[in-house]
Amino acid sequence: MELVRQDEEIKRHVLVVDDEMVNREILGNFLSTIYNVEYASNAKIALDMLTDPDVDYSLVLLDLMMPVMGGIEFLEHRVNSEKLKTIPVIVMTSEKDLEIKSLKLGAADFIAKPFNVPEVVLARCERIVELFENKRIISHTEKDTVSGLFVKDYFFEYIRRIELLGKQIPRDALVFDIEQFHLVNEFCGRTFGNMVLAKIGEVLQERLSSMNAIACRANADTFYVFAAHQDDYCELCCALQKVISHFFNISNIRIRYGLWENVSRDFEIEAWFDRAKIACNSNRGDFSRCFSHYNNELHAKYVFEEMLIHDLDDAIANKDLKVYYQPKYNIVGEKPRLASAEALVRWIHPKLGYVNPGEFIPLFESNGLIRKVDNYVWKEVAAQIRKWKDMYGKTIPVSVNVSRINILDPELESKLEQIRTKYELSPDEFMLEVTESAYSENMKRLVEVVENLRKKGFRIEIDDFGAGYSSLNMITTIPVDVLKIDMSFIRDMEKDERNLKLVKIIIDIAKFLKIPSVAEGVETESQLDTLKNMGCEIIQGFYFSKPVPPKDFASFIEEEIETRKN
Ligand code: C2E
Ligand code: CA
Ligand code: CA
């Protein structure tokens, strides 16, 4: 019983349009063995029935001579209707002239009247239904419903076919994506996001034929274009930029492009776009440019970064990541005294040698791997402080960097607390440096994190203070324990009056808040004197020491312990 019902459900709908009841009955009799047959006695009724959104017709069998509205008039209507054009029509006639006319008007086939052999009629109907369904499936799957462009697989397939026709023609692979598009979906909803993508698709499509190009939406907000080589893409970029400016008035959301000009046929088609994508990604977060060309230099950088990503787990397991310590000196008294230290990670790579944190920290921040690095560093540092404490009976506070990416981790507070308690450290021995940029990115979460951590006793230093635009705003919202003046101000303060003033303002703000200010990047005695005169309390920089491995740092601690004794 169950089976029969299912069969009924999947029976396709066929509409027989004929004014003669006898014909309707004959056809209905044998068609109903495999179809759900419905009837209309003229084309006008048929048109009404076919526009019913609740029924999907798979086929129309159409008589030509009918009262009210005949078959030819029906076909003329159908040519102009997107929906009706997807439903095949078989014309039933006995007149040769009309047969030709109706085929020209888009009829898929014809059946001669009277109907002599029912099996033949049925077979023809089935063939046409199948043909149209295949066509519909193909056009449905090859195009992305949101943008109206090809989907990736078909895009690559068509490139393969285009390439078969002429490999000597120079061609370009262009990739572009919308930076921060996730914000659009998050804040404006998917429907709005899709509207933007649809408009991008439309603007792109309007230009494809003049560029001799095809395009696809490769995924969410990434588009690929394969075009005959163009001198430039200014017109396209401008048109797309207009779409973005029309929808958004913030500069965070923008389109970035990567181009591999004159692709090399020595590489696979997918690789052309991988490379254009590398160029595209190289603009990430760099607001000074949005269009990059793929070149060897970029490729080398890409290979290097891929290697770092690939090797990170091994580096952690083999302890190739080393933690160095840079002392911070209190300069308030006669003689500078070791006050604390900052833990800074280094990577001694087995093949690449020393890798600068500037090369891997931003990379791992961009893909979230920084959480692994930080976790590792925090544990190493906690273990090291414990060791020094056991060795010397006391120790100095060490601050670790907490990447802005970690701020979003809901388990951040508990992770830090676990590490601290595991090594039995007091909260003021294990301090946290959080960069100011974390505030502008996610103010609400940062305020929450800082409050929770302070409740647990942690002390928070605001790193790179003054560099972001939210400095003042931030310190009025969150209570913090230390301000670290951004290194760039210190570097330029003796050359540039403005920087000097800024440093002074930050030191005064810290005083007003009754917290110490730290100047980092101090390299010379004259910088130190200037800062001291302005009332800065703590100094970190090459003037005192570069970051050093723990065994070298131990001598700084020993020296401090000696001084305390005297
Ligand atoms: P940062 O937190 O602002 O660290 C200070 C940077 O200034 C360090 O660079 C330090 O070596 C450098 N520095 C210190 N004194 C001087 C000086 O007198 N002159 C000059 N020119 N530079 C000085 P480093 O170690 O290369 O680290 C760069 C950045 O990488 C750090 O900036 C920090 O943002 C990040 N970083 C380092 N280690 C970690 C880590 O374990 N976790 C996270 N999340 N980030 C880290
Ligand atoms: Ca820092
Ligand atoms: Ca800093």
Side-chain angles (χ1 to χ4, degrees):
M1 190 61 203
E2 190 59 18
L3 269 177
V4 175
R5 259 191 36 221
Q6 275 185 7
D7 274 350
E8 284 286 319
E9 267 171 27
I10 60 160
K11 263 189 179 178
R12 290 159 176 80
H13 290 267
V14 166
L15 180 62
V16 173
V17 192
D18 201 311
D19 59 326
E20 281 180 49
M21 200 169 68
V22 188
N23 285 341
R24 293 203 298 265
E25 272 188 12
I26 298 172
L27 276 170
N29 248 340
F30 56 81
L31 285 174
S32 58
T33 54
I34 49 172
Y35 296 115
N36 264 326
V37 189
E38 279 161 56
Y39 307 93
S41 56
N42 67 53
K44 184 145 189 345
I45 299 171
L47 280 178
D48 284 344
M49 292 174 77
L50 291 167
T51 45
D52 177 353
D54 294 333
V55 190
D56 259 339
Y57 287 93
S58 298
L59 179 68
V60 175
L61 286 154
L62 182 71
D63 180 26
L64 291 181
M65 310 302 251
M66 286 177 291
V68 186
M69 188 193 279
I72 294 295
E73 204 178 327
F74 173 91
L75 289 172
E76 283 164 352
H77 266 283
R78 179 179 173 273
V79 179
N80 298 315
S81 155
E82 286 307 318
K83 174 159 197 255
L84 290 183
K85 270 197 287 191
T86 62
I87 309 169
V89 176
I90 297 180
V91 164
M92 306 179 286
T93 180
S94 43
E95 291 176 45
K96 264 272 164 291
D97 289 355
L98 287 177
E99 217 172 73
I100 293 165
K101 186 165 183 194
S102 51
L103 286 176
K104 278 190 179 156
L105 278 170
D109 201 354
F110 64 92
I111 300 171
K113 276 185 179 177
F115 317 115
N116 291 331
V117 194
E119 288 79 9
V120 174
V121 175
L122 209 52
R124 282 182 113 143
C125 290
E126 279 185 294
R127 191 180 66 88
I128 294 294
V129 167
E130 198 189 324
L131 209 72
F132 263 67
E133 275 179 8
N134 286 346
K135 211 166 119 185
R136 239 191 284 181
I137 290 167
I138 288 172
S139 69
H140 199 74
T141 50
E142 75 176 7
K143 291 281 173 71
D144 159 42
T145 48
V146 175
S147 66
L149 302 168
F150 286 126
V151 295
K152 196 158 84 178
D153 286 351
Y154 276 90
F155 173 74
F156 284 141
E157 181 53 35
Y158 283 113
I159 296 180
R160 258 170 224 117
R161 292 187 198 174
I162 293 169
E163 284 289 284
L164 285 179
L165 301 175
K167 288 198 178 203
Q168 66 288 359
I169 303 168
R171 297 201 191 260
D172 300 343
L174 175 74
V175 168
F176 67 87
D177 71 17
I178 310 171
E179 197 156 64
Q180 306 280 23
F181 192 70
H182 66 103
L183 294 179
V184 178
N185 283 335
E186 263 165 47
F187 293 112
C188 313
R190 282 202 157 266
T191 315
F192 182 82
N194 283 351
M195 200 164 82
V196 177
L197 296 172
K199 189 72 195 162
I200 298 253
E202 190 188 310
V203 166
L204 189 53
Q205 231 155 4
E206 281 164 10
R207 283 156 183 83
L208 289 178
S209 67
S210 66
M211 287 162 54
N212 203 352
I214 59 171
C216 76
R217 182 165 76 115
N219 58 45
D221 54 1
T222 309
F223 297 80
Y224 291 180
V225 180
F226 180 62
H229 173 65
Q230 314 279 309
D231 289 339
D232 65 59
Y233 285 84
C234 296
E235 209 274 323
L236 175 67
C237 295
C238 284
L240 293 173
Q241 186 51 47
K242 270 195 195 140
V243 177
I244 295 296
S245 318
H246 171 78
F247 285 109
F248 312 104
N249 54 8
I250 47 170
S251 59
N252 285 38
I253 296 166
R254 58 162 195 164
I255 302 184
R256 53 174 183 223
Y257 304 83
L259 176 70
W260 191 13
E261 266 183 308
N262 301 326
V263 293
S264 158
R265 266 73 183 205
D266 295 341
F267 294 89
E268 306 253 326
I269 293 167
E270 282 84 350
W272 302 343
F273 291 90
D274 287 345
R275 289 173 171 223
K277 200 157 183 234
I278 293 170
C280 176
N281 287 342
S282 73
N283 303 315
R284 183 175 282 146
D286 179 351
F287 281 84
S288 65
R289 65 195 160 102
C290 66
F291 200 110
S292 286
H293 289 252
Y294 174 77
N295 55 32
N296 288 341
E297 196 187 319
L298 261 186
H299 188 68
K301 182 164 179 273
Y302 170 75
V303 172
F304 174 72
E305 290 184 346
E306 284 297 297
M307 188 162 170
L308 296 182
I309 292 168
H310 178 264
D311 294 348
L312 178 63
D313 285 340
D314 281 351
I316 288 175
N318 304 335
K319 294 198 181 254
D320 292 336
L321 292 185
K322 312 275 182 210
V323 182
Y324 278 34
Y325 296 81
Q326 187 176 33
K328 299 181 192 174
Y329 277 85
N330 188 318
I331 54 161
V332 174
E334 262 306 288
K335 193 171 168 276
R337 295 274 301 268
L338 180 65
S340 54
E342 176 176 7
L344 292 155
V345 70
R346 268 89 189 93
W347 189 341
I348 316 293
H349 191 280
K351 288 197 204 98
L352 303 167
Y354 179 88
V355 188
N356 198 321
E359 291 182 289
F360 63 88
I361 299 281
L363 169 70
F364 293 152
E365 278 182 336
S366 72
N367 58 21
L369 288 173
I370 190 68
R371 285 163 63 170
K372 282 191 183 176
V373 178
D374 277 357
N375 241 296
Y376 168 85
V377 171
W378 300 337
K379 285 184 191 149
E380 288 290 297
V381 171
Q384 183 61 61
I385 303 176
R386 182 73 254 159
K387 231 179 183 171
W388 283 329
K389 227 177 148 178
D390 294 343
M391 262 166 81
Y392 302 114
K394 55 181 77 165
T395 186
I396 56 138
V398 177
S399 40
V400 293
N401 287 286
V402 178
S403 158
R404 57 195 173 79
I405 308 299
N406 270 308
I407 301 295
L408 301 172
D409 179 359
E411 284 162 21
L412 175 69
E413 294 96 319
S414 60
K415 273 185 195 160
L416 286 164
E417 178 73 354
Q418 262 172 24
I419 294 175
R420 198 172 58 84
T421 46
K422 180 177 173 200
Y423 293 95
E424 296 174 42
L425 304 177
S426 67
D428 55 0
E429 285 168 327
F430 187 77
M431 305 202 327
L432 310 170
E433 289 192 11
V434 178
T435 74
E436 193 197 312
S437 60
Y439 181 81
S440 41
E441 276 170 23
N442 200 327
M443 188 185 84
K444 203 163 143 257
R445 174 67 186 146
L446 183 68
V447 173
E448 187 183 292
V449 169
V450 168
E451 277 172 357
N452 291 344
L453 287 170
R454 287 184 94 242
K455 266 187 215 144
K456 290 186 193 293
F458 283 104
R459 291 174 62 203
I460 311 292
E461 301 185 35
I462 295 301
D463 206 353
D464 307 332
F465 188 77
Y469 60 85
S470 49
S471 316
L472 280 178
N473 210 351
M474 180 180 58
I475 45 162
T476 53
T477 352
I478 346 176
V480 293
D481 302 284
V482 178
L483 287 190
K484 286 190 84 173
I485 308 165
D486 189 56
M487 206 151 56
S488 62
F489 300 130
I490 310 292
R491 192 183 51 223
D492 299 332
M493 85 188 160
E494 286 171 324
K495 284 181 272 166
D496 180 348
E497 182 77 10
R498 237 176 59 95
N499 281 307
L500 188 72
K501 282 196 180 137
L502 271 168
V503 172
K504 176 80 176 110
I505 291 171
I506 298 174
I507 295 171
D508 288 345
I509 292 173
K511 280 196 185 132
F512 175 75
L513 296 171
K514 300 195 170 50
I515 56 175
S517 51
V518 178
E520 63 177 333
V522 176
E523 296 184 352
T524 66
E525 190 160 1
S526 86
Q527 284 173 334
L528 179 99
D529 290 341
T530 311
L531 288 159
K532 191 171 178 168
N533 289 336
M534 289 194 289
C536 178
E537 290 159 53
I538 298 176
I539 301 289
Q540 176 185 352
F542 297 170
Y543 174 73
F544 285 114
S545 168
K546 292 197 164 176
V548 294
K551 64 173 182 14
D552 297 350
F553 191 77
S555 43
F556 290 111
I557 304 178
E558 284 163 16
E559 196 186 325
E560 171 57 21
I561 292 172
E562 270 311 300
T563 320
R564 280 185 208 170
K565 273 191 204 155
N566 299 328

